Amino acid sequence: MSAPREPRIGLALGGGSARGWAHIGVIEALEQADIHPDLVCGTSVGALVGAAYAAGELDRFRQWVLGMGIRDVVSFMDLRLNGGVLKGERVMQYFRRNFVDRPIEDLAMPFGAVATALDTGREVWLRTGSTVEAVRASIALPALFAPVLREGELLVDGALVNPVPVSLARAMGAEVVIAVDLSSVLVGRNRDDDTPSLLNVVAASLNIMQVRIARSRMAGDPPDAIVAPRLAHLGLLDFHRAGEAIEAGRRAVAAALPGLQGLGIRTPVI
């Protein structure tokens, strides 16, 4: 009698800007718990980390983000202090120099990214072509990053329509979907003054939008398990605090492991 087949596991990585480094800790902790996703998809920063994972580059990617300082953040993001705009071209140039931009179809693991068509609001699933260009489109946060022109269509951040892409994971063949929601436990942050900066206003607005949309989407298409790192202490541009985010991701997996036990996934008892 043959052994029962394990379900095909999909990992859906949500958006959340700098909080997205928590995805690294989540993936590492899942792997250490002997939970190995068969496919990965992501929105916004989830697409960025997911692409590194699918390409087999997560270890090197982790070392890069851990070495990032505040000056690196400003340099990579092309910060324009007079306009509050982050073009984001330098970080993508870094990826082109340091990571091989293989077609999505040639990655070691099935991968997909979510973007939004600016003119129509249509949800766009990017599953072919340049991995770097797909990621660049998925992270194009309105008012912060420039839109990306792809096949005659302007694309912006996928979090506008699908902050945690459970639906894409299922469309890619996942039988069990583990969703990583970076906004589920966000709370208001205290401010030192009564006049928030433009970036803080944008960040707070995006947090509200993402929480509402994610709740609505996952109510209609619930994942089989949710990993929810506690990240309220991290801001929109705190990319230099990767160590804290990664550790929060690892803790969130430890908290979620009991729920994973009943999904047909073999997990060790810890």
Side-chain angles (χ1 to χ4, degrees):
M1 186 174 181
S2 61
R5 181 181 66 86
E6 286 204 31
R8 186 171 168 81
I9 303 171
L11 188 59
L13 304 180
S17 197
R19 298 180 180 107
W21 296 157
H23 289 314
I24 299 172
V26 168
I27 293 169
E28 290 177 341
L30 287 174
E31 294 276 358
Q32 288 173 3
D34 203 25
I35 299 173
H36 307 286
D38 299 289
L39 59 92
V40 61
C41 61
T43 293
S44 196
V45 69
L48 178 61
V49 178
Y53 181 43
E57 296 278 5
L58 191 65
D59 288 344
R60 196 150 64 96
F61 184 79
R62 181 184 196 274
Q63 293 306 311
W64 174 60
V65 302
L66 283 173
M68 188 180 294
I70 187 64
R71 291 187 178 182
D72 298 311
V73 174
V74 174
S75 172
F76 275 126
M77 297 304 172
D78 303 335
L79 185 61
R80 297 177 181 176
L81 296 177
N82 61 340
V85 176
L86 308 174
K87 286 182 61 181
E89 297 302 331
R90 290 183 184 175
V91 71
M92 301 321 294
Q93 289 172 4
Y94 173 89
F95 269 83
R96 291 187 181 95
R97 288 195 307 268
N98 293 276
F99 297 90
V100 177
D101 182 19
R102 283 177 283 171
I104 292 174
E105 307 93 302
D106 294 343
L107 296 178
M109 176 186 296
F111 168 73
V114 178
T116 304
L118 184 60
D119 292 337
T120 65
R122 181 174 67 90
E123 182 176 341
V124 178
W125 292 349
L126 305 173
R127 297 187 55 193
T128 61
S130 164
T131 301
V132 168
E133 290 306 315
V135 170
R136 178 67 183 84
S138 189
I139 68 172
L141 209 62
L144 296 180
F145 290 94
V148 171
L149 183 64
R150 179 184 169 105
E151 298 179 358
E153 197 168 35
L154 279 176
L155 302 180
V156 293
D157 197 308
L160 292 176
V161 291
N162 197 353
V164 187
V166 175
S167 55
L168 176 53
R170 295 205 189 280
M172 292 172 64
E175 296 165 301
V176 169
V177 176
I178 301 172
V180 185
D181 185 1
L182 304 180
S183 61
S184 64
V185 291
L186 293 183
V187 296
R189 302 177 72 208
N190 295 326
R191 296 198 308 266
D192 295 329
D193 56 59
D194 294 328
T195 307
S197 69
L198 173 62
L199 286 179
N200 283 337
V201 170
V202 170
S205 301
L206 291 171
N207 286 340
I208 293 168
M209 176 199 72
Q210 186 164 316
V211 169
R212 300 283 184 176
I213 296 173
R215 286 176 181 172
S216 176
R217 292 294 301 257
M218 288 196 290
D221 188 5
D224 298 282
I226 298 178
V227 177
R230 304 188 66 85
L231 300 163
H233 60 293
L234 295 180
L236 180 73
L237 298 181
D238 286 343
F239 291 100
H240 57 293
R241 298 172 67 181
E244 297 172 58
I246 291 171
E247 182 55 33
R250 298 180 68 87
R251 289 196 300 267
V253 170
L257 271 180
L260 294 173
Q261 302 280 349
L263 296 177
I265 301 171
R266 289 200 302 269
T267 58
V269 177
I270 61 172

